[in-house]
Amino acid sequence: MGRSSVRVRRVYEPPEDEDGMRVLVDRLWPRGVSKAKAAIGTWPKDVTPSNELRSWYHQDPGSRYDDFVDRYRTELADPAHTAAVGELLALLREGGPVTLVTAVKDVPRSHVPVLVEHLEHELARP
Protein backbone atom coordinates (compact mmCIF):
# COMPACT_ATOMS: atom_id res chain seq x y z
CA MET A 1 0.00 0.00 0.00
CA GLY A 2 1.52 3.29 -1.03
CA ARG A 3 4.36 4.42 1.17
CA SER A 4 3.41 2.54 4.28
CA SER A 5 2.09 -0.78 5.43
CA VAL A 6 -1.10 -1.26 7.38
CA ARG A 7 -1.49 -4.14 9.74
CA VAL A 8 -4.71 -5.18 11.42
CA ARG A 9 -4.66 -6.81 14.84
CA ARG A 10 -7.11 -7.54 17.59
CA VAL A 11 -6.59 -5.46 20.72
CA TYR A 12 -6.47 -8.65 22.80
CA GLU A 13 -3.21 -9.67 21.12
CA PRO A 14 -0.10 -8.30 22.83
CA PRO A 15 1.55 -5.33 21.09
CA GLU A 16 4.62 -6.06 18.98
CA ASP A 17 7.52 -3.80 18.01
CA GLU A 18 6.53 -4.18 14.34
CA ASP A 19 3.12 -2.59 15.05
CA GLY A 20 4.48 0.93 14.83
CA MET A 21 1.65 3.39 15.51
CA ARG A 22 -1.31 1.50 17.00
CA VAL A 23 -4.62 3.09 16.05
CA LEU A 24 -7.83 1.98 17.74
CA VAL A 25 -10.54 1.87 15.06
CA ASP A 26 -13.53 1.02 17.25
CA ARG A 27 -16.14 3.50 18.45
CA LEU A 28 -16.14 2.05 21.97
CA TRP A 29 -13.18 1.22 24.19
CA PRO A 30 -12.67 -2.58 24.30
CA ARG A 31 -13.88 -4.31 27.44
CA GLY A 32 -11.32 -5.61 29.87
CA VAL A 33 -8.31 -3.92 28.27
CA SER A 34 -6.39 -1.23 30.10
CA LYS A 35 -5.09 1.73 28.16
CA ALA A 36 -1.53 0.79 29.09
CA LYS A 37 -1.92 -2.81 27.91
CA ALA A 38 -3.57 -1.74 24.63
CA ALA A 39 -0.66 0.60 23.81
CA ILE A 40 -2.87 2.74 21.57
CA GLY A 41 -1.16 5.74 20.01
CA THR A 42 -4.32 7.41 18.73
CA TRP A 43 -8.08 6.79 18.74
CA PRO A 44 -9.82 8.62 15.89
CA LYS A 45 -13.43 7.69 16.67
CA ASP A 46 -14.67 9.47 13.55
CA VAL A 47 -13.14 6.83 11.25
CA THR A 48 -15.53 4.28 12.75
CA PRO A 49 -19.13 3.65 11.73
CA SER A 50 -21.64 5.96 13.39
CA ASN A 51 -23.53 4.67 16.41
CA GLU A 52 -26.68 4.46 14.29
CA LEU A 53 -25.01 2.41 11.56
CA ARG A 54 -23.26 0.17 14.06
CA SER A 55 -26.51 -0.53 15.94
CA TRP A 56 -28.42 -1.17 12.71
CA TYR A 57 -25.79 -3.64 11.50
CA HIS A 58 -25.60 -5.54 14.80
CA GLN A 59 -29.33 -6.24 14.67
CA ASP A 60 -28.77 -8.66 11.76
CA PRO A 61 -25.14 -8.92 10.66
CA GLY A 62 -25.77 -12.11 8.71
CA SER A 63 -27.95 -10.47 6.08
CA ARG A 64 -26.94 -6.82 6.33
CA TYR A 65 -23.21 -6.88 5.62
CA ASP A 66 -23.34 -5.77 1.98
CA ASP A 67 -25.65 -2.86 2.85
CA PHE A 68 -23.46 -2.06 5.85
CA VAL A 69 -20.41 -1.81 3.58
CA ASP A 70 -22.21 0.59 1.23
CA ARG A 71 -23.48 2.75 4.09
CA TYR A 72 -20.09 2.83 5.80
CA ARG A 73 -18.37 3.86 2.55
CA THR A 74 -20.87 6.72 2.30
CA GLU A 75 -20.10 7.75 5.88
CA LEU A 76 -16.35 7.71 5.23
CA ALA A 77 -16.87 10.28 2.47
CA ASP A 78 -18.93 12.68 4.59
CA PRO A 79 -17.39 15.72 6.30
CA ALA A 80 -17.75 14.24 9.79
CA HIS A 81 -15.36 11.45 8.82
CA THR A 82 -12.97 13.07 6.32
CA ALA A 83 -10.87 14.91 8.90
CA ALA A 84 -10.25 11.71 10.88
CA VAL A 85 -9.52 9.78 7.69
CA GLY A 86 -7.07 12.54 6.76
CA GLU A 87 -5.25 12.08 10.07
CA LEU A 88 -4.89 8.37 9.37
CA LEU A 89 -3.67 9.07 5.85
CA ALA A 90 -1.06 11.47 7.22
CA LEU A 91 0.23 8.76 9.55
CA LEU A 92 0.44 6.32 6.66
CA ARG A 93 2.25 8.82 4.44
CA GLU A 94 4.89 9.33 7.13
CA GLY A 95 6.12 5.89 6.11
CA GLY A 96 6.20 4.00 9.39
CA PRO A 97 4.09 0.95 10.05
CA VAL A 98 0.54 1.61 11.21
CA THR A 99 -1.53 -1.05 12.93
CA LEU A 100 -5.30 -0.74 13.02
CA VAL A 101 -6.42 -2.27 16.29
CA THR A 102 -9.92 -3.59 16.89
CA ALA A 103 -11.88 -5.65 19.39
CA VAL A 104 -14.30 -7.11 16.84
CA LYS A 105 -14.42 -10.91 16.76
CA ASP A 106 -15.15 -11.35 13.05
CA VAL A 107 -12.66 -8.92 11.51
CA PRO A 108 -13.30 -9.93 7.87
CA ARG A 109 -17.03 -9.08 8.20
CA SER A 110 -16.52 -5.85 10.10
CA HIS A 111 -15.83 -2.23 9.23
CA VAL A 112 -12.07 -2.80 9.31
CA PRO A 113 -11.59 -4.23 5.77
CA VAL A 114 -13.77 -1.41 4.40
CA LEU A 115 -11.61 1.16 6.18
CA VAL A 116 -8.39 -0.46 4.94
CA GLU A 117 -9.73 -0.48 1.36
CA HIS A 118 -10.74 3.17 1.68
CA LEU A 119 -7.29 4.15 2.98
CA GLU A 120 -5.56 2.22 0.19
CA HIS A 121 -7.75 3.92 -2.40
CA GLU A 122 -7.02 7.36 -0.98
CA LEU A 123 -3.27 6.69 -0.81
CA ALA A 124 -3.24 5.58 -4.45
CA ARG A 125 -4.80 8.85 -5.63
CA PRO A 126 -2.36 11.28 -7.24
Side-chain angles (χ1 to χ4, degrees), residues 2 8 32 38 55 61 66 77 80 102 118:
V8 175
S55 295
D66 291 339
T102 183
H118 182 75

Side-chain angles (χ1 to χ4, degrees), residues 54-66 68 109:
R54 194 173 49 81
S55 295
W56 172 83
Y57 176 56
H58 287 291
Q59 290 172 10
D60 188 6
S63 68
R64 291 185 172 177
Y65 186 71
D66 291 339
F68 168 77
R109 292 194 51 86

Side-chain angles (χ1 to χ4, degrees), residues 3-23:
R3 292 168 233 162
S4 185
S5 62
V6 174
R7 295 178 68 186
V8 175
R9 303 208 37 216
R10 291 200 66 228
V11 71
Y12 303 106
E13 299 169 329
E16 295 179 356
D17 291 339
E18 298 82 29
D19 288 349
M21 173 63 77
R22 290 171 54 90
V23 179

Side-chain angles (χ1 to χ4, degrees), residues 49-107:
S50 65
N51 287 327
E52 296 79 16
L53 180 56
R54 194 173 49 81
S55 295
W56 172 83
Y57 176 56
H58 287 291
Q59 290 172 10
D60 188 6
S63 68
R64 291 185 172 177
Y65 186 71
D66 291 339
D67 288 334
F68 168 77
V69 168
D70 291 340
R71 291 179 182 197
Y72 182 43
R73 284 183 179 140
T74 299
E75 283 191 355
L76 285 171
D78 74 29
H81 288 72
T82 53
V85 168
E87 291 174 28
L88 261 180
L89 290 169
L91 285 173
L92 291 164
R93 287 181 177 124
E94 287 176 11
V98 174
T99 299
L100 305 183
V101 179
T102 183
V104 298
K105 292 177 184 168
D106 186 1
V107 174

